[in-house]
Amino acid sequence: MPPFGTASLNYDVVANVFKMIEHIPPSRESKQVLFRAALTCKAFQDPALDALWRSMDTIVPLLRLLPTIQQVDGIYTIYGDIDDQDMMRFNLYARRIRTLTLDRNSRDKQVAPFIFTALPLLPALQHLICPFHDRLNAPNTPLVLCSTLQRVDLLGDTSNSYPRDLNNELLNIIPFMYVLHKKAPGIRHLALYSQTDPRLWQVILRFRSLRSLQLSGELDVVTFKNIASLPELQYLNMTMIGTLSLPISSLPVENNISITFPKLRSLQITGEGSTISSYLVLMRGGRLVDISITMKPDSSTYARFPVNGLWETCLSVMEAQWSSTLRSIRLVAFEEGFIQTSARFFASLSKIHLENLVIAGQMAMDKCPTLASSIPHVKELCISRVTHCQKEEHWDVLMAFARFCPQLTSLSVKLDMPFSPSPLQRKYSHRLRTLCIASDDLLDVRNLTHATDVAQYLESMFPILAVIQSTQNSASWAFWEHVNGLVHKFQAVRQDERKKHVTPVQDGLVTSYNMKGNNGRKKC
């Protein structure tokens, strides 16, 4: 036991606590909390300072640690010699900085350019974020010239605040990337938005250790092949701007084009329907675990597939290429449009051993039982909207998942129809723990009879249900909060009834609590 007044705390535990505080908005208040924590005790000092300095958008606070750094006419410059003790203190804090954002409004513009080369800045930097390409000029380059850099996000200016000059952006990006490769060739994560010039790809392909690549722009077949040539690529996120002059699907079959991704594990692709399906058809290899497709309306006049066939094509490719490895699928229809489904769609889905499925779009209610029977191994399911259908009762939606998806632990669904639970034929032994449900109709929380019927219905289908919740802005939020409380009461009553019929075993004797049988006497 430590002496009174001292604290024996694990550094990792305290660091995780301060890391959580670091991400609490607003950031200014969280930094004040971390600053006060660093002054509290020695056990808090290092982990609090690590969290406080981990992410920066300017190096001015770091420079001000040196007494010889002074501001003259609004510009920070060096006046005098820097002694060893001050330099040791400077390096101690510089090594805490792991993420740097080169913001356009940063105070780094007030720093004399020669300081960037005169001092060994940011020796442990791991993540560089650059929202504006004009910040990648020569004076800023030494900031990232360290072999520890692992991730670079070149976001580009996506707002309309400033006019964009793509050629000028390339003049900043390409030289920066060449220098970056020379000093930090082991970068593993690269995000590049709104710029996919062929000259830039000549530099990107030099980073042979890339495991994660995010890009946005106009992509062609040659660029796609270049991406596949990265030997360690495991995560790919593509946002396709515009369409191909001719979709790849319209090329002659005798070309036999295929592109192999040997180590790909995760794929996210956003674009027009015909373009997405065309690229997906070309992909080969890899052991894909999760895939996300966001499909926008197809504006190409060369589209070969009808709209209702695009999702089928994507699912067919998944079945053919990754049915044995794929575990998570996310299908997103632009502006919550309809996810077109058919027998072929569900047939492909049933051959994939899915554990996680997200359908961010509208699905007809009569399709839900077929969907449930196609994904018997699913554990997490989210359907953003189930639309009304005259053929089925809407509660059959939940009953279908209770019947066909016994391993389901988390279900999120939004229904656009009123509720009228029907009596269950039997009780289910189901694993569902979390139900997030919403509806467009107004449900009166004061209608106790209706709320009780709903709670009994849910408790019978999902006996170990832990949480029932609804979105805060949903009109039925208060109703589902009330149902959640009623379900817990029904579960407590059921537990009490079970305890009355339990037969405990103690010291080799069986004690029976069946009052009709032996009035509580013990039996051997």
Side-chain angles (χ1 to χ4, degrees):
M1 183 175 180
F4 180 77
T6 64
S8 178
L9 298 175
N10 185 281
Y11 176 88
D12 294 333
V13 174
V14 179
N16 286 333
V17 173
F18 290 141
K19 191 173 182 178
M20 296 174 62
I21 296 176
E22 179 187 359
H23 294 91
I24 297 177
S27 60
R28 183 177 180 84
E29 293 183 5
S30 62
K31 287 185 179 297
Q32 290 177 352
V33 172
L34 293 172
F35 175 73
R36 296 190 187 102
L39 300 176
T40 302
C41 63
K42 289 185 178 180
F44 287 179
Q45 183 177 6
D46 284 337
L49 288 176
D50 288 343
L52 184 62
W53 286 81
R54 183 178 290 114
S55 179
M56 304 288 287
D57 58 4
T58 176
I59 63 166
V60 170
L62 180 65
L63 295 177
R64 293 177 65 179
L65 294 173
L66 297 173
T68 55
I69 297 291
Q70 299 181 17
Q71 194 173 21
V72 180
D73 296 332
I75 302 297
Y76 289 95
T77 186
I78 299 177
Y79 261 75
D81 297 331
I82 303 175
D83 59 36
D84 293 341
Q85 187 175 359
D86 290 337
M87 200 64 206
M88 288 179 60
R89 182 168 177 258
F90 178 87
N91 289 331
L92 179 64
Y93 283 87
R95 292 184 179 278
R96 300 181 192 271
I97 300 178
R98 303 302 175 88
T99 301
L100 178 67
T101 301
L102 295 177
D103 196 358
R104 178 170 278 164
N105 299 321
S106 173
R107 289 183 292 168
D108 292 346
K109 293 182 178 181
Q110 302 172 356
V111 179
F114 76 90
I115 291 182
F116 292 104
T117 55
L119 296 174
L121 301 174
L122 311 183
L125 186 66
Q126 295 181 355
H127 186 190
L128 174 69
I129 304 173
C130 183
F132 306 98
H133 294 151
D134 58 0
R135 297 290 284 128
L136 298 175
N137 48 25
N140 289 325
T141 302
L143 281 174
V144 295
L145 298 185
C146 53
S147 59
T148 58
L149 200 62
Q150 295 293 314
R151 179 179 185 127
V152 176
D153 294 344
L154 305 181
L155 305 180
D157 186 6
T158 57
S159 66
N160 297 322
S161 303
Y162 300 90
R164 293 193 60 191
D165 186 348
L166 297 181
N167 291 327
N168 192 33
E169 286 183 5
L170 284 174
L171 292 177
N172 289 322
I173 295 175
I174 294 178
F176 172 81
M177 294 297 293
Y178 273 110
V179 177
L180 183 64
H181 174 261
K182 183 177 180 180
K183 298 297 182 180
I187 287 179
R188 297 187 176 186
H189 309 277
L190 177 63
L192 187 65
Y193 294 95
S194 304
Q195 194 59 263
T196 53
D197 190 273
R199 294 170 292 174
L200 184 57
W201 273 105
Q202 296 178 4
V203 191
I204 295 176
L205 294 178
R206 293 171 176 258
F207 294 90
R208 309 303 289 176
S209 299
L210 274 181
R211 295 185 179 181
S212 172
L213 179 62
Q214 302 178 48
L215 45 98
S216 172
E218 297 181 357
L219 304 177
D220 53 21
V221 180
V222 176
T223 302
F224 201 50
K225 284 186 176 181
N226 289 336
I227 296 172
S229 68
L230 295 170
E232 301 297 325
L233 190 64
Q234 298 181 12
Y235 173 82
L236 177 60
N237 186 337
M238 300 188 302
T239 300
M240 299 178 177
I241 298 177
T243 57
L244 300 172
S245 57
L246 282 173
I248 304 172
S249 57
S250 65
L251 295 176
V253 178
E254 56 268 17
N255 287 346
N256 195 22
I257 300 176
S258 63
I259 301 175
T260 302
F261 292 80
K263 294 187 177 182
L264 195 64
R265 296 291 182 272
S266 177
L267 173 65
Q268 295 186 32
I269 183 168
T270 301
E272 296 187 359
S274 61
T275 305
I276 290 177
S277 60
S278 299
Y279 275 103
L280 213 56
V281 167
L282 297 180
M283 296 185 65
R284 299 289 185 275
R287 296 181 59 84
L288 206 62
V289 176
D290 66 88
I291 184 170
S292 175
I293 297 177
T294 302
M295 194 174 291
K296 298 180 179 179
D298 202 323
S299 61
S300 174
T301 57
Y302 299 98
R304 180 177 179 179
F305 300 111
V307 174
N308 59 2
L310 296 175
W311 292 112
E312 296 177 0
T313 303
C314 294
L315 264 296
S316 297
V317 174
M318 296 179 204
E319 174 200 345
Q321 296 296 327
W322 309 292
S323 60
S324 61
T325 61
L326 203 56
R327 293 294 178 267
S328 177
I329 294 179
R330 178 181 175 88
L331 305 178
V332 182
F334 189 71
E335 293 182 351
E336 275 203 359
F338 266 95
I339 301 290
Q340 302 290 340
T341 57
S342 63
R344 181 185 171 193
F345 177 93
F346 292 118
S348 298
L349 202 61
S350 64
K351 296 178 182 179
I352 303 174
H353 195 96
L354 275 184
E355 295 181 358
N356 189 329
L357 176 62
V358 176
I359 298 179
Q362 298 184 43
M363 173 170 281
M365 184 174 55
D366 60 336
K367 301 289 186 181
C368 289
T370 310
L371 172 66
S373 62
S374 303
I375 50 174
H377 305 288
V378 72
K379 296 180 180 179
E380 296 183 9
L381 175 63
C382 176
I383 305 176
S384 64
R385 192 174 190 88
V386 175
T387 58
H388 182 61
C389 180
Q390 299 294 334
K391 297 180 181 179
E392 304 284 344
E393 292 292 335
H394 71 277
W395 280 106
D396 289 347
V397 173
L398 298 182
M399 190 182 299
F401 295 128
R403 178 181 178 185
F404 295 111
C405 304
Q407 300 182 34
L408 189 65
T409 59
S410 177
L411 173 62
S412 177
V413 62
K414 182 177 181 180
L415 308 175
D416 64 351
M417 68 281 301
F419 295 93
S420 55
S422 56
L424 288 176
Q425 300 296 327
R426 65 182 181 89
K427 288 191 175 184
Y428 292 86
S429 177
H430 204 277
R431 300 181 183 180
L432 190 71
R433 300 284 296 172
T434 303
L435 174 63
C436 182
I437 187 168
S439 61
D440 287 344
D441 62 322
L442 296 176
L443 298 176
D444 191 354
V445 69
R446 294 168 296 182
N447 189 341
L448 298 181
T449 302
H450 183 51
T452 302
D453 292 341
V454 172
Q456 288 179 335
Y457 184 85
L458 292 177
E459 197 273 337
S460 299
M461 284 196 299
F462 310 115
I464 62 171
L465 196 59
V467 178
I468 302 176
Q469 58 189 5
S470 184
T471 53
Q472 290 284 350
N473 56 354
S474 172
S476 57
W477 177 80
F479 177 83
W480 289 112
E481 283 290 304
H482 183 55
V483 170
N484 183 51
L486 290 176
V487 167
H488 290 163
K489 292 179 181 179
F490 287 137
Q491 290 174 341
V493 171
R494 179 162 49 85
Q495 290 293 333
D496 291 340
E497 291 178 351
R498 284 183 177 179
K499 290 179 180 179
K500 293 180 181 179
H501 297 85
V502 167
T503 306
V505 179
Q506 296 178 353
D507 299 329
L509 298 178
V510 180
T511 304
S512 174
Y513 289 88
N514 187 351
M515 303 304 295
K516 293 183 180 180
N518 54 14
N519 295 323
R521 294 194 304 271
K522 296 182 179 180
K523 291 183 179 181
C524 292

